[in-house]
Amino acid sequence: MSAVKKVINLGHLLSGCIDAAQRSSYLIEEVLKSGELGVELKGVNDPVTNADINVQKLIVSGLINTFGNINIVGEEGEMDVQPEFSDIVLNKDLIDDNLILDKYKNVEQERVCVFIDPLDGTKEFVDGIYDAVVTLIGISLDEKCVGGVMYQPFPPGVDVLNAEEINGRTFYGLGDSLSSGIDLETTRNKINARKEKNEINIVTTRSHGSQTIEAGLVQLKNHFSDHTVTITRIGGAGNKVIKLLDGDADIYYFPEPYTKLWDTAAPGGVIEAYGGSLLSCKGNEIVYPSKPSDPKNKEGVLACFDFDIQSVLSCINNNNDNNNDN
């Protein structure tokens, strides 16, 4: 007799991820205000701090305590339940069950994987650009990203070091029927205002510049030569997607293989829940295996919310093809 496979409700899992991300914010603030960030370098422009480690410990401990043996891929390596978080049980009931599609309610748990970036935008955290910091928890099903949560602990305009209380922003989505976090009317108004003025805003990397990126940006400017194209360089994959969702940008373009699966799982899940797209710069869906041999997004990242992503893909790939022929 075969063993009964454990099933999971992805709505309950998303709820638990929301709870974990929100709970973790006090750890980030605690490290920041202590002044003891514990910065170490994993690579060029790739720092890790005490906040990164502590937040992942909390999230992983909470997920295992609540959902048992679930597949987890975290930026800061494999972890088990940590003694300091051994009693944490996450809230599975933050989302109304009626809003969860039936296909997500009884899923074999072995088909699911959670991708964690405890502190996306760590370099910005170290540099004091606090609104770029986002905790990312993405959910994949059969290696396809289907949902996630992005928690921004320090929203723009907050005096982080002096505020007595900070209310972070939570963005989440599951499939194409459940999403929360933005004022859609405000977002549409910003986007439409730029369209009326023939303006396009492209967000790209702040700290990983290259000739490939600059050449691609020139090609995009030429392609959209009848528009005024602005390039905004900011940190964090989650932060860039928030700019799209807030209506402050139209295209997120990053053709280099520097982002990892944990950088894009949650942003992809959220923006796709709103009807947007996050793909590789070749136009391929990003694959999210539970045991990735290499977590790099080798074909880069391209995302749009209310913009024709196919026109962008046609532009950048025609340029690449021409370059390859030379």
Side-chain angles (χ1 to χ4, degrees):
M1 184 176 180
S2 59
V4 177
K5 293 185 177 180
K6 187 173 181 179
V7 297
I8 189 170
N9 182 319
L10 295 191
H12 294 170
L13 177 59
L14 178 62
S15 173
C17 292
I18 293 168
D19 188 25
Q22 292 175 341
R23 287 197 199 199
S24 71
S25 64
Y26 85 91
L27 294 170
I28 303 172
E29 190 172 348
E30 189 177 72
V31 169
L32 177 61
K33 291 187 174 180
S34 75
E36 298 178 2
L37 273 60
V39 180
E40 295 183 8
L41 286 177
K42 297 187 289 185
V44 177
N45 288 327
D46 189 14
V48 62
T49 69
N50 291 335
D52 298 76
I53 302 299
N54 293 345
V55 169
Q56 183 163 316
K57 285 180 178 179
L58 184 153
I59 295 171
V60 170
S61 297
L63 288 171
I64 295 173
N65 288 341
T66 308
F67 299 103
N69 185 26
I70 188 167
N71 295 314
I72 297 173
V73 176
E75 178 172 9
E76 308 312 331
E78 292 186 14
M79 293 182 181
D80 206 334
V81 176
Q82 303 296 304
E84 63 267 41
F85 301 120
S86 61
D87 60 346
I88 285 185
V89 177
L90 302 174
N91 189 342
K92 298 190 290 185
D93 300 314
L94 294 176
I95 297 172
D96 185 343
D97 263 358
N98 293 320
L99 299 177
I100 304 168
L101 297 179
D102 288 342
K103 65 180 179 179
Y104 295 136
K105 288 185 176 180
N106 290 288
V107 176
E108 293 172 355
Q109 191 154 306
E110 64 184 20
R111 299 166 55 200
V112 177
C113 186
V114 178
F115 290 80
I116 302 169
D117 187 341
L119 203 73
D120 185 46
T122 301
K123 188 173 191 308
E124 285 61 40
F125 181 63
V126 172
D127 291 345
I129 308 172
Y130 302 122
D131 59 2
V133 173
V134 187
T135 295
L136 304 176
I137 311 177
I139 300 170
S140 74
L141 173 63
D142 297 329
E143 302 190 347
K144 175 179 171 57
C145 183
V146 296
V149 55
M150 303 190 295
Y151 183 73
Q152 186 181 39
F154 310 126
V158 174
D159 184 355
V160 174
L161 296 176
N162 296 306
E164 291 186 6
E165 183 178 353
I166 302 173
N167 295 314
R169 300 180 69 196
T170 305
F171 307 79
Y172 64 81
L174 181 64
D176 56 5
S177 65
L178 177 63
S179 56
S180 179
I182 67 172
D183 181 337
L184 198 52
E185 183 178 356
T186 299
T187 294
R188 298 285 189 203
N189 287 341
K190 289 181 183 179
I191 293 170
N192 289 335
R194 273 200 309 282
K195 286 181 178 179
E196 290 175 4
K197 297 176 182 178
N198 282 338
E199 296 176 349
I200 296 173
N201 189 8
I202 303 173
V203 288
T204 190
T205 182
R206 167 180 172 260
S207 56
H208 294 286
S210 71
Q211 291 183 350
T212 298
I213 294 171
E214 297 310 312
L217 291 172
V218 169
Q219 181 72 6
L220 286 167
K221 281 187 172 184
N222 291 337
H223 184 74
F224 296 110
S225 59
D226 56 341
H227 291 69
T228 300
V229 179
T230 301
I231 309 298
T232 304
R233 301 175 192 272
I234 57 176
N239 184 36
K240 295 180 185 72
V241 169
I242 288 174
K243 294 299 183 188
L244 297 177
L245 291 171
D246 278 343
D248 296 323
D250 304 290
I251 302 167
Y252 164 20
Y253 172 67
F254 187 52
E256 294 286 19
Y258 296 141
T259 64
K260 311 289 199 311
L261 297 176
W262 45 73
D263 294 310
T264 53
V270 175
I271 198 168
E272 289 174 10
Y274 273 104
S277 299
L278 189 151
L279 303 169
S280 82
C281 285
K282 292 291 187 182
N284 297 316
E285 288 191 357
I286 297 174
V287 179
Y288 294 91
S290 59
K291 297 186 184 300
S293 57
D294 184 350
K296 291 180 181 177
N297 292 315
K298 295 181 180 180
E299 294 181 347
V301 180
L302 179 69
C304 297
F305 175 46
D306 187 3
F307 196 90
D308 182 6
I309 197 168
Q310 293 303 322
S311 68
V312 181
L313 285 167
S314 175
C315 167
I316 61 177
N317 285 303
N318 282 341
N319 184 47
N320 290 342
D321 291 343
N322 291 337
N323 287 341
N324 290 337
D325 289 341
N326 292 335

